[in-house]
Amino acid sequence: MEHANVVLLCILISVISLPSPLTSLPTCEFPAIFNLGDSNSDTGGLSAAFGQAPYPHGITHFHHPAGRFCDGRLLIDFIAEDLGLPYLSAYLDSMASNFSHGSNFATAGSTIRPQNTTRSQSGVSPISLDVQYVQYSDFHSRSPVLRKQGGVFEKLLPMEDSFSRALYTFDIGQNDLTAGYKLNMTTDQVKAYVPDVLHQFSNVVKGIYAQGGRSFWVHNTGPVGCLPYILDIFLITAAQINKYGCANPFNEVAQFFNRRLKDVVFQLRKDLPLAAITYVDVYSLKYSLFTQAKKLGFKDPLIACCGHGGKV
């Protein structure tokens, strides 16, 4: 179910020329990107583990399924392009992967906090943020050893100093919010566990910092109440729908999460004095794509692509 949350956004991003904050910073040169996240930034992790996301995923840019739950590119792809780097290979993908410029640990359906459920029951990926962190730590510790063997290892693994000079990107959290609603929790109950979710997020950032990471790029979560599958599977009254067709209670809990995430980022800046941590307000960007849909040329902004549908 969660896969539908990104498909509409990535269609819009693929056809809108957005000014990149990275291009205005010519001194920012990163030799690698290490990404942790969910379907908003998964470039093939879940597909490698559970089977390729089928056609029409990938139809517009790659012209074939490319591991993304999207018809084209994702924001992480545009970030890589802006930094002059190749697209990130998924850590879990053993087919033709090149990790010399970083790795992507994200999988569609991932949460920050491990969920007591299975993928077949809820659509949640078993590769939660703590697992992604373990994978990163293993990758970090083993890469220098393997690279010294030379040959293909030297070509396909990052240089040792790339880890401290890399950009660490995070795009994860919205599945933690929807997970509570899938368990029939109230909005207040979902809000009540947000501090624990963000505590676990903070611990992962601190863990990467302890291993030498210094540059962090943190996306907040999007307007959950505008996601086609949310509008389709949950009981939402007419009074809860705003003039753009989005469900206010779900958007409100996303905004609550984002306010607390921003507080966590501020605290991390104090706790990690050598780190540069950028908080990115993708909520406002994504929401504007719904509020200005007609202006941008979209007839049905609440209908997702790639077979995921939505409420008609």
Side-chain angles (χ1 to χ4, degrees), residues 251-278:
N251 280 353
E252 288 169 5
V253 79
Q255 292 172 314
F256 174 84
F257 176 92
N258 290 339
R259 289 193 296 270
R260 297 299 180 268
L261 175 61
K262 195 170 187 178
D263 292 340
V264 166
V265 168
F266 285 162
Q267 186 60 48
L268 284 170
R269 288 171 179 161
K270 296 178 182 178
D271 296 340
L272 311 177
L274 300 180
I277 309 175
T278 302

Side-chain angles (χ1 to χ4, degrees), residues 4 16 19 31 33 35 62 75 81 92 96 100-101 115 123 139 146 165 238 249 262 268 299 307:
I16 301 172
I33 301 172
N35 181 71
F62 301 100
L75 285 175
E81 287 181 2
L92 294 175
S100 62
H101 52 277
Q115 301 296 307
F139 182 85
L146 292 172
R165 297 170 54 214
K262 195 170 187 178
L268 284 170
K299 181 180 179 181

